[in-house]
Amino acid sequence: KNEVEQSPQNLTAQEGEFITINCSYSVGISALHWLQQHPGGGIVSLFMLSSGKKKHGRLIATINIQEKHSSLHITASHPRDSAVYICAVGNAGNNRKLIWGLGTSLAVNP
Amino acid sequence: NAGVTQTPKFRILKIGQSMTLQCTQDMNHNYMYWYRQDPGMGLKLIYYSVGAGITDKGEVPNGYNVSRSTTEDFPLRLELAAPSQTSVYFCATCSGLGTAGELFFGEGSRLTVL
């Protein structure tokens, strides 16, 4: 079992829908990261969380430290949101390296 | 501010050739990483560095070498290229102490070994 699990693996939505991507982890963490990768493209950091909730435009990220779970929400989804969303955690026991999820592939249809 | 700059963006190598992927950052970050991403797979850590003069192996270091003589530069050397090294390579930095900082990625280097 991976130390960082994302669900769903693939997600298809219609434009305008509210989207939730989940990330569960099994280690104590120093921080949790959400990143975005467009097809054939580079990787962009969306959020870094250690507690609570952060919002940037239509994106919201939450984390529950006790439950070892984070969610990334996209409100009013748009086709340009189509990308792979990746969760990564910094291990509190070894804060030099990140543990990566396999990503959630999102397709938003017009 | 250029951020993280990787070169080259694309390269085709023959088996047994060597090359260096360059990574330069202008943000004065201590933590730097080299990852490879195979199709449909997650990122695998090759090497990382926590500051000038300090490097360490990641999950998949075999066939690669790194150096970190300055804060800015973190080149990745491929010796005796093999088809298994065909991948997209990403250099990244972290702004914080350890992994609790914002991550910055280069645009990636697509390497094909034939």
Side-chain angles (χ1 to χ4, degrees):
Chain A
K1 190 177 189 296
N2 291 339
E3 292 170 302
V4 177
E5 296 274 0
Q6 287 185 237
S7 62
Q9 189 175 351
N10 296 285
L11 181 57
T12 300
Q14 289 300 120
E15 184 173 356
E17 286 184 357
F18 181 84
I19 290 163
T20 296
I21 298 170
N22 298 297
C23 177
S24 296
Y25 52 91
S26 58
V27 298
I29 66 168
S30 57
L32 182 141
H33 300 262
W34 283 104
L35 305 103
Q36 179 192 58
Q37 185 175 27
H38 280 102
I43 300 170
V44 176
S45 175
L46 298 174
F47 295 103
M48 192 272 290
L49 294 161
S50 54
S51 65
K53 176 180 175 178
K54 286 189 176 179
K55 184 175 189 291
H56 185 248
R58 294 180 295 105
L59 300 178
I60 303 166
T62 64
I63 188 167
N64 185 317
I65 298 293
Q66 286 72 32
E67 294 186 4
K68 295 187 174 177
H69 181 268
S70 175
S71 292
L72 177 67
H73 305 287
I74 304 175
T75 62
S77 59
H78 190 276
R80 65 175 175 265
D81 297 325
S82 298
V84 175
Y85 292 85
I86 308 168
C87 173
V89 302
N91 188 337
N94 178 350
N95 197 28
R96 295 181 165 198
K97 299 185 282 187
L98 290 160
I99 307 171
W100 293 85
L102 295 180
T104 294
S105 180
L106 171 65
V108 181
N109 296 321
Chain B
N1 243 1
V4 180
T5 303
Q6 275 184 247
T7 56
K9 287 188 170 49
F10 302 92
R11 182 75 186 266
I12 298 175
L13 282 179
K14 294 182 180 177
I15 294 172
Q17 287 185 320
S18 300
M19 74 162 295
T20 299
L21 297 176
Q22 302 290 346
C23 177
T24 300
Q25 54 109 351
D26 61 358
M27 298 173 285
N28 203 35
H29 293 165
N30 284 320
Y31 281 69
M32 295 188 75
Y33 305 88
W34 273 108
Y35 291 97
R36 59 176 288 171
Q37 186 179 41
D38 299 323
M41 304 292 286
L43 292 169
K44 298 288 187 188
L45 181 64
I46 305 171
Y47 271 95
Y48 68 101
S49 170
V50 301
I54 306 169
T55 62
D56 207 348
K57 296 177 180 178
E59 303 167 79
V60 289
N62 291 343
Y64 307 95
N65 273 301
V66 293
S67 60
R68 184 94 182 270
S69 57
T70 66
T71 299
E72 293 76 22
D73 298 309
F74 189 40
L76 177 71
R77 178 92 178 148
L78 280 72
E79 304 282 2
L80 299 175
S84 61
Q85 293 178 303
T86 294
S87 190
V88 179
Y89 292 82
F90 288 98
C91 178
T93 72
C94 187
S95 65
L97 190 63
T99 55
E102 188 174 357
L103 296 170
F104 297 84
F105 280 79
E107 292 182 350
S109 299
R110 187 175 295 272
L111 175 66
T112 302
V113 181
L114 300 174

